[in-house]
């Protein structure tokens, strides 16, 4: 999933440019009849000082500069501001008397001046909250303020949705009955969060300014998974109490994308695209791993057994991470159980990537094999671009949470490939027919359009086509020139013998010497 940075751009003849190009902003107090009120003047200057202390921004009084910010109360009774520096030279911020009584309002308008839009207008806001239009005042201005913006451009610096941002409306803004009828509610699992403007800038507000103006590299690793989607801790009890006699798979109980995929960070890449020696695949078909969780002997047996499944059917090998000296492995898969859920990062990263198997996830081979497929770079089979030729998605039978429907979105054509391998309804990466159903075993969410014997998706281990995909991507097996038959039943993978491994290693040596 792509997150959009909440910043405004203006189109010029030269293309897309940031509205503000400098961290030094000239301002002037113009016709402020209330400027004699030192408390109000102090609030304005305090807001500017807070921005200066938190970021690299500096404010200075205007002398003769042509481009400057005019703070006035002569342009109406409201609190509003131009978004970003204006080409005409003068940028306006209107603060009627009531607007200067609260520093949060001043900060909010100054953020507009810097080029930031409202948080709740982000294109991805539907993943995080529901807008209750029936509770909004039936006025064009009120409805306009809840319109999601059209993204002008995509930035390679995704910030998470910030419910507490200084740029987020309160939950009853423009309500027909403020305090009683909300206009916005957070989706699960964020239903308990506080929505709307705080008195201070949030960490993410400050990070956005740093990125836009200060050109300072920012280490975001300490934010962990909150940068992408919060891992719901209630998933832990769902998995621990999972009934194995049901058709619900463990990874369906998670709240990440697809239930179990923590999508790549900006520095990560999807391993399904790019040349064979791309840095975002595991070099030499060798996955470096570390067992970092406190697993019992039975769980370790299944985790190691899952690795052996890949080694039996493909040229991929698993090697313990070296943690000592100059040969220390920086990029590796951390197999852990410290977080809730059964999930994995997609593809190889430049440092630590994670396969999380909380208690209950490693009670068989199936889930570890599935999650290790993610770490090799594979998405779910039912997200393929050609999916609709083989299955029908029954959205009406799904749980009412709209965010779950995104688990059935198709992948990005520019970042994935099928290697000309047919759609496999039995793949270890395919959901079952009643995944995310509001009535499992009764209502299907997927139905096959082609002949198929048995249950859709996710057998106990790799299918023949699962192994073929890996062998094409990692092992030098050529992409099929002629269409292969679409399977009509679950077909187990064949053993990948020593001869195949020898041919792969010889191919890699020839490439290196050439």
């Amino acid at each position: 999933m792509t997150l959009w940075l909440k910043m405004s751009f203006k189109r010029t003849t030269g293309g897309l440019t940031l509205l503000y190009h400098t961290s030094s902003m000239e301002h002037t107090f113009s016709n402020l009849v209330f400027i004699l009120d030192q408390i109000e003047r102090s609030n304005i200057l305090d807001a500017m000082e807070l921005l200066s202390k938190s970021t690299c921004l500096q404010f200075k009084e205007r002398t003769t500069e042509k481009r400057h910010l005019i703070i006035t109360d002569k342009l109406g009774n409201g609190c509003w501001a131009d978004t970003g520096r204006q080409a005409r030279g003068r940028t306006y911020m209107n603060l009627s008397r009531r607007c200067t009584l609260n520093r949060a309002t001043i900060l909010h308008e100054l953020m507009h001046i810097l080029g930031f839009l409202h948080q709740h207008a982000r294109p991805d806001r539907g993943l995080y909250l529901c807008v209750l239009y029936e509770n909004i005042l039936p006025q064009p201005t009120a409805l306009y303020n809840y319109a999601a913006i059209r993204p002008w451009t995509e930035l390679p610096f995704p910030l998470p949705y910030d419910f507490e941002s200084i740029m987020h409306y309160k939950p009853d803004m423009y309500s027909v009955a403020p305090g009683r009828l909300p206009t916005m509610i957070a989706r699960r699992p964020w239903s308990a969060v506080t929505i709307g403007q705080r008195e201070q800038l949030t960490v993410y507000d400050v990070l956005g300014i740093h990125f836009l103006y200060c050109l300072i590299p920012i280490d975001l690793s300490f934010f962990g998974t909150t940068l992408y989607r919060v891992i719901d801790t209630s998933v832990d009890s769902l998995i621990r109490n999972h009934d194995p006699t049901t058709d619900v798979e463990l990874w369906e109980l998670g709240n990440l994308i697809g239930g179990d995929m923590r999508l790549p960070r900006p520095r990560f890449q999807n391993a399904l695209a790019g040349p064979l020696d791309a840095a975002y695949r595991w070099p030499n078909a060798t996955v470096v791993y570390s067992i970092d969780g406190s697993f019992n002997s039975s769980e370790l047996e299944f985790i190691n057994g899952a690795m052996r499944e890949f080694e039996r059917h493909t040229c991929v090998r698993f090697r313990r991470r070296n943690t000592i000296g100059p040969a220390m492995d920086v990029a590796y898969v951390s197999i852990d159980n410290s977080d809730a859920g059964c999930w994995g990062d997609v593809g190889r990263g430049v440092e630590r990537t994670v396969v999380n198997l909380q208690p209950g996830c490693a009670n068989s081979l199936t889930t570890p094999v599935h999650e290790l497929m993610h770490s090799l770079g594979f998405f779910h089979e039912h997200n393929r671009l050609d999916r609709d030729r083989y299955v029908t998605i029954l959205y009406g039978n799904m749980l009412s949470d709209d965010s779950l429907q995104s688990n059935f979105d198709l992948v990005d054509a520019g970042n994935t490939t099928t290697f000309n391998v047919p759609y496999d309804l039995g793949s270890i990466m395919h959901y079952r027919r009643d995944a995310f159903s509001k009535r499992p075993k009764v209502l299907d969410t997927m139905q096959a359009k082609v002949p198929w014997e048995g249950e859709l998706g996710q057998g106990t281990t790799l299918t023949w086509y699962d192994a073929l995909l890996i062998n094409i991507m990692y092992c030098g097996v050529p992409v099929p020139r002629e269409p292969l038959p679409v399977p009509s039943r679950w077909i187990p993978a064949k053993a990948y013998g020593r001869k195949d491994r020898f041919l792969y290693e010889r191919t890699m040596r020839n490439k290196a010497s050439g």
Side-chain angles (χ1 to χ4, degrees):
M1 178 186 63
T2 300
L3 296 182
W4 300 87
L5 199 59
K6 53 184 189 303
M7 294 180 181
S8 175
F9 289 77
K10 175 161 286 187
R11 186 171 294 279
T12 66
T13 55
L16 291 172
T17 58
L18 292 174
L19 288 174
Y20 268 106
H21 302 280
T22 174
S23 60
S24 179
M25 184 188 311
E26 300 85 18
H27 67 275
T28 179
F29 294 100
S30 172
N31 299 321
L32 285 173
V33 295
F34 54 85
I35 203 64
L36 296 177
D37 188 327
Q38 292 303 312
I39 295 178
E40 293 170 324
R41 179 184 176 89
S42 176
N43 286 341
I44 295 172
L45 295 176
D46 283 350
M48 292 179 177
E49 184 180 7
L50 177 62
L51 284 168
S52 297
K53 287 182 176 180
S54 304
T55 70
C56 64
L57 292 173
Q58 298 296 320
F59 293 83
K60 66 178 183 180
E61 290 278 1
R62 181 210 177 201
T63 53
T64 60
E65 294 84 359
K66 291 184 178 180
R67 291 191 173 186
H68 58 279
L69 167 64
I70 296 178
I71 303 175
T72 182
D73 71 335
K74 298 299 185 182
L75 300 176
N77 294 323
C79 319
W80 60 265
D82 288 327
T83 304
R85 188 173 68 174
Q86 303 300 298
R88 61 179 178 262
R90 293 183 176 184
T91 301
Y92 288 91
M93 183 167 75
N94 191 78
L95 296 174
S96 62
R97 185 175 182 86
R98 64 182 177 84
C99 304
T100 57
L101 300 178
N102 186 340
R103 187 175 66 174
T105 301
I106 302 170
L107 282 171
H108 179 96
E109 301 306 333
L110 285 172
M111 288 288 282
H112 281 317
I113 291 298
L114 293 173
F116 289 86
L117 302 176
H118 289 141
Q119 183 78 186
H120 56 272
R122 282 172 46 148
D124 62 345
R125 65 107 183 270
L127 297 173
Y128 304 96
L129 57 79
C130 294
V131 176
L132 306 177
Y133 288 98
E134 65 273 18
N135 294 344
I136 299 175
L137 289 168
Q139 301 171 357
T141 302
L143 294 171
Y144 172 79
N145 279 286
Y146 283 94
I149 61 171
R150 178 177 64 84
W152 285 283
T153 186
E154 180 180 354
L155 292 177
F157 185 83
L159 284 176
Y161 194 89
D162 187 1
F163 291 97
E164 296 189 347
S165 169
I166 197 79
M167 303 308 292
H168 204 301
Y169 276 176
K170 293 181 179 180
D172 59 352
M173 194 71 172
Y174 294 107
S175 172
V176 293
R180 188 165 59 86
L181 294 178
T183 52
M184 290 180 286
I185 56 173
R187 292 187 182 277
R188 186 177 66 86
W190 303 282
S191 53
V193 302
T194 301
I195 298 177
Q197 301 162 339
R198 308 275 69 78
E199 295 298 317
Q200 301 286 342
L201 299 171
T202 67
V203 172
Y204 294 130
D205 291 331
V206 174
L207 277 176
I209 297 171
H210 271 285
F211 170 69
L212 186 57
Y213 287 95
C214 307
L215 302 179
I216 298 175
I218 302 171
D219 180 10
L220 302 178
S221 61
F222 65 95
F223 285 104
T225 57
T226 59
L227 276 173
Y228 305 96
R229 185 177 284 195
V230 177
I231 296 175
D232 189 353
T233 54
S234 66
V235 172
D236 177 85
S237 61
L238 292 176
I239 291 175
R240 289 178 185 271
N241 298 320
H242 175 254
D243 181 358
T245 63
T246 68
D247 287 335
V248 177
E249 292 291 351
L250 292 170
W251 48 82
E252 294 176 27
L253 301 175
N255 72 307
L256 298 177
I257 301 301
D260 69 327
M261 290 187 293
R262 194 170 69 168
L263 291 187
R265 303 181 183 188
R267 60 186 180 183
F268 292 179
Q269 296 289 340
N270 168 19
L272 290 185
L276 281 175
D277 58 349
Y280 38 81
R281 295 184 187 166
W282 295 96
N284 300 317
T286 301
V287 178
V288 179
Y289 74 95
S290 174
I291 302 291
D292 296 325
S294 54
F295 297 100
N296 60 40
S297 59
S298 175
E299 291 170 326
L300 287 173
E301 183 177 349
F302 284 120
I303 292 170
N304 288 318
M307 296 180 192
R308 302 294 84 79
E309 285 295 293
F310 288 96
E311 294 183 342
R312 282 181 59 209
H313 303 304
T314 75
C315 72
V316 170
R317 295 295 179 264
F318 289 81
R319 174 177 64 78
R320 284 272 190 175
R321 182 193 182 207
N322 188 343
T323 60
I324 301 174
M328 182 180 71
D329 295 300
V330 177
Y332 68 101
V333 174
S334 172
I335 302 176
D336 204 352
N337 60 2
S338 58
D339 278 319
C342 319
W343 54 267
D345 289 324
V346 179
R348 175 182 181 266
V350 296
E351 295 176 351
R352 177 179 183 257
T353 56
V354 179
V355 166
N356 192 81
L357 299 170
Q358 76 148 76
C361 297
N363 292 342
S364 69
L365 281 178
T366 307
T367 301
V369 171
H370 179 98
E371 301 307 337
L372 286 172
M373 280 287 282
H374 283 317
S375 70
L376 288 173
F378 291 91
F379 287 107
H380 292 142
E381 185 79 359
H382 55 273
N383 297 125
R384 282 175 49 146
L385 289 171
D386 58 352
R387 181 268 315 279
D388 292 333
R389 294 166 54 187
Y390 302 96
V391 294
T392 300
I393 307 299
L394 305 173
Y395 291 100
N397 292 345
M398 293 181 191
L399 293 166
S400 57
D401 189 341
D402 291 342
S403 66
L404 295 179
Q405 295 189 6
S406 65
N407 296 331
F408 294 86
D409 290 347
L410 301 181
V411 294
D412 182 359
N415 291 325
T416 59
T417 177
T418 65
F419 294 113
N420 208 25
V421 172
Y423 192 93
D424 185 2
L425 286 91
S427 169
I428 192 74
M429 305 308 288
H430 202 297
Y431 277 174
R432 292 185 182 272
R433 67 176 70 247
D434 58 354
F436 300 105
S437 172
K438 55 189 174 185
R439 296 182 65 191
K441 291 189 175 183
V442 178
L443 295 177
D444 291 344
T445 53
M446 285 186 288
Q447 290 180 346
K449 289 183 176 180
V450 295
W452 181 256
E453 299 176 15
E455 183 61 55
L456 285 188
Q458 297 167 345
T460 55
T461 186
L462 301 172
T463 67
W464 192 82
Y465 281 143
D466 289 332
L468 178 60
L469 281 168
I470 298 171
N471 286 326
I472 292 173
M473 189 159 79
Y474 281 98
C475 309
V477 172
V479 174
R481 294 184 179 181
E482 300 295 330
L484 297 173
V486 176
S488 59
R489 59 183 176 83
W490 189 84
I491 303 175
K494 295 180 180 179
Y496 190 88
R498 290 185 179 180
K499 179 180 178 181
D500 300 312
R501 180 71 187 182
F502 170 77
L503 291 173
Y504 164 75
E505 291 173 347
R506 186 175 66 180
T507 301
M508 293 298 104
R509 284 197 300 270
N510 291 340
K511 282 190 175 184
S513 61

